[in-house]
């Protein structure tokens, strides 16, 4: 069942030209992006290293868009303050990481930011037992194995998105559901149908010379 929340397009800067990062972020803003998605990787929780608070702060200076920061790191609770100060508007932490999940989500909210919980493709929703769902403003469902851009969408995750949106309705909640990994127009359409409303897309957007047209095309899948 499609989400009642508005469709949001969040280009992932991991796919941008890092040699022109500020320009690329401004290009996405001018092209009509709703948010910018920032993947922070520590080389431990995932097998890749990207960037940290300093780059986040530089992007914050370049654009006014909400910064949707995805912490793919082992101990996210230790770095919340740094990313809050850097200008993150939303902070996602992984269910699978080593931290007190409810306390971490609560800390994000106390800092005045939106709290997100990220879930890897293999992680079932039953693993969320003990999580206070009312603390989540966002749930990010990974549709690839986290760590690298350019991977193929894992369609086997779609039933989990459907289950998540049914459970959200049953609980009377309204958190946004994000999908991240292999998102292009065709997979965005499948994701929206399953109930997701935030499309995190990297390669399929930043690789296009006409980014505004690419964003508009992806947005149309929700109509």
């Amino acid at each position: 069942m499609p989400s009642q929340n508005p469709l949001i397009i969040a280009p992932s800067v991991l796919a941008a030209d890092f040699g022109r990062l500020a320009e690329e972020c401004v290009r996405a803003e001018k092209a009509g992006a709703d948010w910018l998605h920032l993947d922070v990787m520590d080389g431990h929780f995932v097998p890749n290293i990207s960037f940290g608070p300093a780059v986040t702060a530089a992007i914050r200076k370049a654009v006014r868009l909400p910064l949707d920061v995805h912490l793919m790191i082992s101990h996210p609770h230790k770095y919340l303050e740094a990313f809050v100060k850097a200008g993150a508007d939303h902070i996602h932490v992984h269910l699978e990481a080593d931290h007190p999940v409810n306390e971490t989500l609560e800390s994000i909210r106390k800092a005045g930011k939106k709290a997100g919980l990220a879930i890897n493709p293999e992680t079932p929703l039953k693993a969320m037992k003990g999580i206070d769902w009312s603390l989540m403003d966002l749930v990010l469902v990974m549709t690839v194995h986290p760590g690298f851009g350019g991977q193929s969408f894992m369609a086997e995750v779609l039933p989990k998105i459907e289950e998540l949106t049914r459970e959200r309705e049953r609980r009377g909640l309204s958190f946004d559901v994000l999908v991240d990994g292999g998102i292009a127009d065709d997979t965005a359409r499948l994701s929206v149908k399953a109930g997701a409303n935030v499309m995190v897309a990297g390669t399929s957007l930043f690789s296009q010379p006409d980014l505004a047209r690419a964003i508009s095309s992806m947005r149309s899948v929700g109509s």
Side-chain angles (χ1 to χ4, degrees):
M1 175 172 45
S3 174
Q4 298 303 308
N5 295 4
L7 183 62
I8 291 168
I9 309 299
S12 173
V13 302
L14 192 64
D17 179 351
F18 272 36
R20 302 169 49 249
L21 190 54
E23 280 181 60
E24 288 276 73
C25 293
V26 170
R27 182 166 76 102
E29 183 170 50
K30 290 181 176 178
D34 299 296
W35 303 348
L36 280 179
H37 185 80
L38 281 61
D39 287 311
V40 176
M41 309 179 194
D42 63 358
H44 184 260
F45 182 71
V46 293
N48 195 7
I49 296 173
S50 58
F51 51 79
V55 171
T56 302
I59 293 173
R60 174 74 289 157
K61 291 177 183 177
V63 297
R64 296 182 179 180
L65 290 176
L67 299 186
D68 187 59
V69 176
H70 178 190
L71 299 183
M72 289 184 264
I73 62 179
S74 294
H75 306 286
H77 57 303
K78 297 181 180 181
Y79 299 91
L80 296 182
E81 185 178 357
F83 283 97
V84 167
K85 288 182 177 178
D89 295 288
H90 320 149
I91 300 177
H92 300 271
V93 294
H94 267 269
L95 176 63
E96 304 87 359
D98 185 8
H99 65 117
V101 179
N102 287 333
E103 290 178 32
T104 303
L105 294 172
E106 193 168 15
S107 294
I108 296 168
R109 285 184 140 197
K110 282 182 178 178
K113 309 301 179 180
K114 287 189 176 182
L117 187 68
I119 308 172
N120 283 339
E122 300 85 0
T123 302
L125 287 191
K126 65 183 180 181
M128 291 174 64
K129 184 179 180 180
I131 301 301
D132 183 346
W133 285 53
S134 70
L135 293 173
M136 302 184 304
D137 300 298
L138 317 141
V139 176
L140 191 165
V141 181
M142 294 299 300
T143 45
V144 297
H145 295 110
F148 294 92
Q151 299 181 62
S152 297
F153 180 85
M154 299 172 67
E156 58 267 35
V157 178
L158 289 169
K160 182 164 64 178
I161 298 169
E162 293 172 348
E163 182 185 357
L164 176 66
T165 53
R166 285 195 301 268
E167 184 64 18
R168 176 183 62 184
E169 185 175 356
R170 188 185 74 80
R171 293 171 180 259
L173 300 172
S174 59
F175 54 78
D176 290 306
V177 176
L178 297 78
V179 284
D180 182 1
I183 300 299
D185 286 4
D186 56 343
T187 52
R189 187 172 290 106
L190 292 172
S191 300
V192 168
K193 186 177 180 181
N197 71 292
V198 182
M199 306 295 116
V200 176
T203 306
S204 67
L205 294 181
F206 275 110
S207 65
Q208 299 301 314
D210 190 341
L211 183 52
R213 182 175 180 179
I215 289 174
S216 178
S217 177
M218 185 170 291
R219 199 184 302 282
S220 72
V221 307
S223 59

